[in-house]
Amino acid sequence: MTTFETISDYNDFNNHETLHPLVSVIDFSKAEVRIGKKMYFGLYCIFLKDVKCGDLIYGRNYYDYQKGTLVFVSPGQVVDVANKTEPYQPTGHGLVFHPDLLHGTSLGKNIKSFHFFSYDTNEALHLSDKEQLLVLDLFSKIESELELGVDKHSKKLIATNIELFLSYCERFYDRQFITREDVNKGILEKFEILLDEYFQGGLAQAIGLPSVAYCAEKLNLSANYFGDLIKKLTGKSAQECIQNKVIEVAKERVFDTNKSISEVAYELGFKYPQHFNRLFKQKVGFTPNEYRNIN
């Protein structure tokens, strides 16, 4: 595995001069021909992959877009270039920056709001031609600032431009959630089926309430991408959707007078019946016992 802990490490790997110790804009066509390998990054990286995506898979579905894919990598992640045993010439562009750049900047305060850094690579951002041009223009602006040399204004201006770029990416992802509507509706349907089977099959009683992470994994999505997608589709968080399903099932089961409310709570995956009572009253306006009696 090749490890990249510093900007100069990655610049050396791609035949680039280090203009700033914490930031670099990469033109991969300048890199030497190489063979795919595992790479560990201690850096934030955004890659604009200049490749055809028809043979890459999104979850269990093929990508919609034929070219122009943005992939986001955060510090601590490993990227594996699979199925590449033959030498190849890298192409495309990249923006890499060290976590130390974030200290004392607006970008540092907001970096965690850009959830796409923890999406899986199969949830990459697919750009239209116009969006690609905008991305390359923003890369060019950052590179121009790097070429001016380091002074007291550099860090703030560079971090501000990176934050602007990431804000555009947020907008592009919102657009992608809309343009992939058919695929996304299929995910929503699978989510609903997954919850139905979870409660009907007794998994709740065996392993507890379903978590967002559990549902995302079963749907071949990262937890953050899944959460953002469900929010866009339903207006509710994934956790709210799970809670609503719990209440829907609970409303049916509290009518079984052969079971105590505590037994119903344990069946639904609650460790403590009082937690079930609290959630039920919050969502329905009555305790489970009150709901059973008035109905």
Side-chain angles (χ1 to χ4, degrees), residues 14-16 27-32 89-90 143:
N14 291 289
N15 289 334
H16 277 64
D27 177 354
F28 289 107
S29 66
K30 295 180 180 179
E32 294 178 0
Q89 173 61 54
E143 188 171 28

Side-chain angles (χ1 to χ4, degrees), residues 52-63:
K52 291 184 178 180
C53 299
D55 59 345
L56 299 179
I57 297 176
Y58 172 95
R60 295 182 179 177
N61 302 290
Y62 285 98
Y63 283 134

Side-chain angles (χ1 to χ4, degrees), residues 230-243:
I230 295 301
K231 184 73 172 177
K232 297 295 179 188
L233 291 174
T234 67
K236 299 181 179 67
S237 69
Q239 185 62 37
E240 285 180 285
C241 291
I242 291 171
Q243 289 178 346

Side-chain angles (χ1 to χ4, degrees), residues 127-154:
L127 302 175
S128 68
D129 290 341
K130 285 185 177 180
E131 289 167 350
Q132 283 187 72
L133 291 174
L134 180 55
V135 165
L136 291 173
D137 182 57
L138 290 166
F139 280 4
S140 178
K141 284 182 169 60
I142 295 168
E143 188 171 28
S144 295
E145 182 58 39
L146 295 176
E147 289 171 349
L148 291 174
V150 179
D151 60 28
K152 67 179 184 179
H153 303 287
S154 299

Side-chain angles (χ1 to χ4, degrees), residues 195 198-211 239 242-243 245-247 249-250 253 259-277 279:
L195 291 177
Y198 191 92
F199 289 105
Q200 290 169 8
L203 280 174
Q205 188 166 12
I207 62 177
L209 291 165
S211 67
Q239 185 62 37
I242 291 171
Q243 289 178 346
K245 172 56 72 173
V246 170
I247 297 304
V249 176
R253 296 194 182 181
K259 294 177 182 176
S260 69
I261 297 300
S262 292
E263 286 175 313
V264 172
Y266 293 131
E267 276 187 7
L268 293 171
F270 288 89
K271 288 184 179 180
Y272 306 104
Q274 57 265 39
H275 292 174
F276 169 55
N277 291 340
L279 178 65

Side-chain angles (χ1 to χ4, degrees), residues 63-278:
Y63 283 134
D64 295 342
Y65 292 79
Q66 292 302 305
K67 63 178 182 178
T69 302
L70 273 181
V71 174
F72 300 84
V73 176
S74 58
Q77 288 187 317
V78 174
V79 175
D80 191 6
V81 183
N83 302 319
K84 281 195 179 293
T85 55
E86 298 296 322
Y88 70 100
Q89 173 61 54
T91 60
H93 297 80
L95 169 66
V96 294
F97 56 97
H98 195 278
D100 286 353
L101 179 74
L102 305 179
H103 300 322
T105 67
S106 171
L107 177 59
K109 295 176 183 175
N110 297 323
I111 191 70
K112 289 185 178 179
S113 68
F114 299 114
H115 295 164
F116 39 76
F117 275 110
S118 54
Y119 290 172
D120 289 339
T121 53
N122 65 354
E123 298 154 355
L125 177 58
H126 314 296
L127 302 175
S128 68
D129 290 341
K130 285 185 177 180
E131 289 167 350
Q132 283 187 72
L133 291 174
L134 180 55
V135 165
L136 291 173
D137 182 57
L138 290 166
F139 280 4
S140 178
K141 284 182 169 60
I142 295 168
E143 188 171 28
S144 295
E145 182 58 39
L146 295 176
E147 289 171 349
L148 291 174
V150 179
D151 60 28
K152 67 179 184 179
H153 303 287
S154 299
K155 182 175 179 178
K156 180 179 179 181
L157 289 170
I158 292 168
T160 299
N161 274 290
I162 292 174
E163 188 170 6
L164 174 64
F165 163 69
L166 296 178
S167 295
Y168 271 107
C169 292
E170 204 166 34
R171 169 187 275 181
F172 297 157
Y173 258 116
D174 282 351
R175 185 269 308 147
Q176 181 164 296
F177 285 135
I178 295 169
T179 56
R180 294 180 61 85
E181 185 177 10
D182 289 343
V183 173
N184 294 338
K185 282 183 178 177
I187 291 171
L188 185 58
E189 289 169 4
K190 289 177 183 176
F191 178 36
E192 292 172 352
I193 292 170
L194 176 67
L195 291 177
D196 284 337
E197 292 176 346
Y198 191 92
F199 289 105
Q200 290 169 8
L203 280 174
Q205 188 166 12
I207 62 177
L209 291 165
S211 67
V212 173
Y214 171 89
C215 295
E217 182 183 356
K218 291 298 181 182
L219 296 171
N220 299 315
L221 300 169
S222 67
N224 273 334
Y225 187 89
F226 173 66
D228 289 348
L229 175 60
I230 295 301
K231 184 73 172 177
K232 297 295 179 188
L233 291 174
T234 67
K236 299 181 179 67
S237 69
Q239 185 62 37
E240 285 180 285
C241 291
I242 291 171
Q243 289 178 346
N244 288 344
K245 172 56 72 173
V246 170
I247 297 304
E248 179 186 317
V249 176
K251 282 181 175 178
E252 296 174 4
R253 296 194 182 181
V254 294
F255 289 130
D256 184 350
T257 54
N258 293 320
K259 294 177 182 176
S260 69
I261 297 300
S262 292
E263 286 175 313
V264 172
Y266 293 131
E267 276 187 7
L268 293 171
F270 288 89
K271 288 184 179 180
Y272 306 104
Q274 57 265 39
H275 292 174
F276 169 55
N277 291 340
R278 189 181 307 128

